[in-house]
């Protein structure tokens, strides 16, 4: 399983400007909506916010992995966002977040979803991978980092 299988150029946003966590999540959901991947953006937002109320998906080290399974989307998708300036995401380490990996999919894809969450988490243990994402100037560079992910975590 590789990140590039679930990512696309139109699902990558660099230099996002957002007021708060709901605003950045909405901007990432909008990418799914604009690409025709989600039927009900409001329903998806509701699921993402519900998940955040249980516990923040800000895992520390400047990273958040918001995620949800919903009937509002047909296929598993990975949306990547990098904020222009790190922002409060109520992360576990209380540090601001700048790298956001939003993973969403249909409830029927739960086993692949869990494996993809694990893959993202494993890759994000690599400082070199995170630095490559932070220094990317174009979405294509992020996609290339996803394509060459085995350099960072076999």
């Amino acid at each position: 399983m590789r990140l590039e299988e679930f990512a696309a150029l139109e699902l990558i946003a660099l230099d996002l400007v957002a007021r708060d966590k709901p605003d950045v999540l909405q901007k990432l959901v909008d990418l799914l909506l604009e690409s025709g991947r989600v039927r009900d953006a409001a329903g998806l937002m509701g699921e993402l916010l519900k998940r955040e109320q249980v516990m923040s998906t800000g895992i520390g080290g400047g990273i958040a992995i918001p995620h949800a399974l919903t009937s509002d989307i047909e296929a598993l998708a990975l949306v990547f966002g990098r904020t222009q300036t790190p922002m409060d995401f109520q992360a576990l380490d209380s540090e601001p977040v700048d790298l956001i990996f939003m993973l969403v999919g249909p409830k029927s894809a739960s086993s692949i979803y869990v494996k993809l969450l694990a893959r993202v988490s494993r890759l994000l243990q690599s400082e070199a991978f995170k630095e490559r994402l932070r220094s990317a100037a174009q979405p294509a560079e992020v996609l290339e980092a996803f394509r060459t992910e085995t350099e960072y975590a076999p």
Side-chain angles (χ1 to χ4, degrees), residues 46-153:
E47 291 299 320
L48 289 164
L49 292 173
K50 190 184 322 178
R51 171 62 188 85
E52 290 297 324
Q53 288 174 346
V54 171
M55 186 170 119
S56 176
T57 57
I59 62 170
I63 298 158
I65 310 174
H67 53 278
L69 291 174
T70 175
S71 58
D72 300 314
I73 192 164
E74 290 184 24
L76 205 56
L78 176 64
V79 184
F80 175 78
R82 187 183 68 205
T83 60
Q84 198 170 67
T85 56
M87 61 179 295
D88 181 27
F89 212 88
Q90 296 83 44
L92 300 177
D93 64 357
S94 300
E95 293 297 318
V97 163
D98 65 335
L99 300 179
I100 304 156
F101 289 79
M102 187 173 79
L103 180 59
V104 295
K107 293 178 181 183
S108 62
S110 62
S111 64
I112 298 170
Y113 169 84
V114 170
K115 289 177 186 171
L116 190 56
L117 273 172
R119 181 69 182 157
V120 169
S121 297
R122 196 165 35 257
L123 280 165
L124 291 172
Q125 292 173 18
S126 165
E127 291 300 322
F129 183 70
K130 291 184 287 191
E131 182 51 39
R132 190 162 176 196
L133 297 175
R134 286 188 170 113
S135 65
Q138 300 293 324
E141 292 174 43
V142 172
L143 208 51
E144 183 60 23
F146 292 171
R147 282 191 188 106
T148 58
E149 69 183 53
T150 54
E151 293 175 19
Y152 308 101

